[in-house]
Amino acid sequence: MASSWWRWRCCGSWRPAAPSPGHGFSCRSEPPGPRAATAARAQISYFNRVKNLMSAFPNMYSISRFPHVTSAACCCSRTRSGNKYIDPFKLGWRDLKGLYEDIRKELLISTTELKEMSEYYFDGKGKAFRPIIVVLMARACNTHHNNSRDVQASQRSIALIAEMIHTASLVHDDVIDDACSRRGKHTVNKIWGEQKAVLAGDLILSAASIALARIGNTAVISILTQVIEDLVRGEFLQLGSKENENERFAHYLEKTFKKTASLIANSCKALIDDVLDFTACSDQMGKPTSADLRLGLATGPVLFACQQFPEMNAMIMRRFSLPGDVDRARQYVLQSDGVQQTAYLAQRHCHEAVREISKLRPSPERDALIQLSEIVLTRDK
């Protein structure tokens, strides 16, 4: 994926950038180095990752053996088995009734304060994006194999575990970022302090591990353990930066995969988050915008804008630490086509996801996953 994206970025971007005098971007640039090759290996489709989880159960096939291949739909199309609009969240939620109650049962905490901290984000106000994708993929794969759309208990357990791992990572991320708000309310670390927040995140992760072990399938355990490792490695990647522009883009893509796509499993979701950091307001996002810049992070819009405004390189390397850096960088991004280029990159990843899911037999769940691809690209929060 990274190598094909490289060719697009050099020679086929959706709209040519308007470089500053003497700073044009040429198609004769050197080919990507080892970092880009590493990123290429890392760009595994989200749907492949979730599908691998589903296929780990008996009587399930891998997607490479699916014989009923239909032409891939554009991620923004309305192509479905029927003409009726399918709401992915409504369709998936029927298998997730009692999701947060079941998660709270998994926590099994006797200490009042620790219980309150650990359950803080399991209040039903999240989008439950990851569990929705898991159960939709489970039904789509089950339908493809034996025309049975029922979700197995072990498959539903994976949906719960995915949400628990994600939530534990949010608690830890907020500590690292010293974040004040999440989902429109104060963060765990701001209410109870950083040390207790770290312990709360650890407890959620340990409860998820126990639930994972109960499934008893070594392939599933191996896959989700890799997800946890990716989260940690992705956080380390986020703490670093690269001077070389080519390596910087590869670094950004690999970080995005490990921190978000590996679990979400939809890399275009992460890229759209980066776009919204510049286009949405704080009330919509439930957290401050320009937050990535304030944390010293150079996301897609910034990296693309840097091609048009090379003076941003110095700000990127000092992680926007000087007074006025954040505001100036934001203005450069808004004056460039960085937001549009990042959105187009998300569309490219989205198209790959749609092409993979379109290999399954037609079903309401398969069509809902295709529709979900459009939703994550056009959302405003």
Side-chain angles (χ1 to χ4, degrees):
M1 178 68 73
S3 59
S4 63
W5 173 75
W6 169 266
R7 290 192 295 273
W8 159 73
R9 187 166 76 90
C10 287
C11 305
S13 65
W14 78 282
R15 178 163 64 87
S20 301
H23 294 285
F25 187 79
S26 170
C27 290
R28 294 188 295 273
S29 299
E30 292 298 319
R35 294 290 300 179
T38 300
R41 290 191 296 270
Q43 298 311 304
I44 301 170
S45 162
Y46 162 62
F47 292 110
N48 275 342
R49 176 61 64 88
V50 177
K51 187 275 311 159
N52 285 339
L53 280 172
M54 296 301 101
S55 64
F57 294 100
N59 302 321
M60 301 301 293
Y61 291 136
S62 68
I63 206 161
S64 61
R65 297 170 58 189
F66 288 166
H68 297 272
V69 179
T70 58
S71 59
C74 170
C75 61
C76 293
S77 73
R78 295 283 178 174
T79 303
R80 299 174 190 83
S81 301
N83 294 325
K84 186 178 179 181
Y85 172 82
I86 297 175
D87 184 338
F89 293 94
K90 183 180 294 184
L91 189 62
W93 196 253
R94 64 184 178 183
D95 293 313
L96 295 173
K97 292 178 180 177
L99 169 70
Y100 295 107
E101 290 82 355
D102 291 343
I103 289 177
R104 287 194 288 269
K105 290 177 183 176
E106 292 288 347
L107 295 174
L108 294 174
I109 305 166
S110 58
T111 306
T112 302
E113 186 179 33
L114 188 55
K115 179 180 176 64
E116 188 177 356
M117 284 190 293
S118 302
E119 295 180 354
Y120 185 66
Y121 287 138
F122 297 119
D123 55 3
K125 295 182 180 179
K127 294 184 290 290
F129 188 76
R130 293 149 190 81
I132 290 289
I133 289 181
V134 171
V135 295
L136 288 177
M137 182 62 79
R139 280 184 175 266
C141 288
N142 294 348
T143 299
H144 180 90
H145 174 58
N146 55 18
N147 289 323
S148 172
R149 293 170 60 198
D150 294 337
V151 173
Q152 300 174 21
S154 50
Q155 291 173 328
R156 187 179 184 276
S157 293
I158 291 176
L160 270 68
I161 293 166
E163 185 69 0
M164 294 171 74
I165 293 174
H166 169 61
T167 302
S169 74
L170 293 184
V171 176
H172 286 156
D173 280 356
D174 288 343
V175 173
I176 293 171
D177 300 339
D178 193 26
C180 296
S181 62
R182 166 82 64 182
R183 296 175 180 171
K185 62 182 184 179
H186 292 304
T187 56
V188 173
N189 50 292
K190 285 302 175 185
I191 298 175
W192 287 281
E194 292 184 355
Q195 292 181 331
K196 290 182 178 180
V198 170
L199 295 175
D202 290 346
L203 190 144
I204 296 170
L205 194 57
S206 67
S209 300
I210 293 172
L212 178 60
R214 277 204 307 270
I215 292 177
N217 187 300
T218 55
V220 171
I221 293 172
S222 177
I223 290 170
L224 285 178
T225 300
Q226 181 63 51
V227 165
I228 297 173
E229 179 183 340
D230 285 343
L231 284 169
V232 176
R233 291 183 181 275
E235 191 63 49
F236 266 90
L237 285 171
Q238 181 166 286
L239 295 175
S241 186
K242 294 291 180 181
E243 291 192 36
N244 179 275
E245 180 189 357
N246 302 335
E247 290 187 351
R248 194 181 290 157
F249 268 96
H251 186 88
Y252 168 65
L253 288 177
E254 185 179 2
K255 181 272 297 181
T256 297
F257 171 77
K258 290 185 181 300
K259 278 208 67 180
T260 306
S262 178
L263 177 59
I264 271 190
N266 192 337
S267 54
C268 69
K269 162 69 165 57
L271 292 164
I272 290 298
D273 271 347
D274 293 342
V275 168
L276 291 177
D277 198 44
F278 289 93
T279 61
C281 67
S282 298
D283 289 341
Q284 286 176 301
M285 294 289 286
K287 56 184 177 182
T289 51
S290 296
D292 290 327
L293 285 177
R294 299 180 195 283
L295 292 172
L297 306 179
T299 55
V302 173
L303 297 179
F304 280 117
C306 190
Q307 295 176 7
Q308 295 171 254
F309 300 99
E311 53 266 44
M312 294 181 69
N313 275 301
M315 288 189 283
I316 290 173
M317 293 312 300
R318 62 177 178 254
R319 298 178 71 86
F320 313 103
S321 58
L322 294 183
D325 275 359
V326 170
D327 291 335
R328 281 200 296 148
R330 180 177 175 81
Q331 288 305 313
Y332 281 136
V333 169
L334 296 179
Q335 291 171 29
S336 74
D337 62 2
V339 169
Q340 296 93 326
Q341 292 278 27
T342 305
Y344 182 66
L345 178 56
Q347 291 173 6
R348 289 289 298 264
H349 282 272
C350 174
H351 181 75
E352 291 298 317
V354 170
R355 186 170 66 178
E356 290 299 318
I357 196 62
S358 296
K359 296 176 182 179
L360 292 166
R361 291 179 189 268
S363 68
E365 287 75 22
R366 187 202 72 166
D367 294 342
L369 286 167
I370 293 174
Q371 177 62 32
L372 197 58
S373 299
E374 178 179 349
I375 290 174
V376 298
L377 286 175
T378 57
R379 69 191 181 93
D380 60 2
K381 62 179 180 179

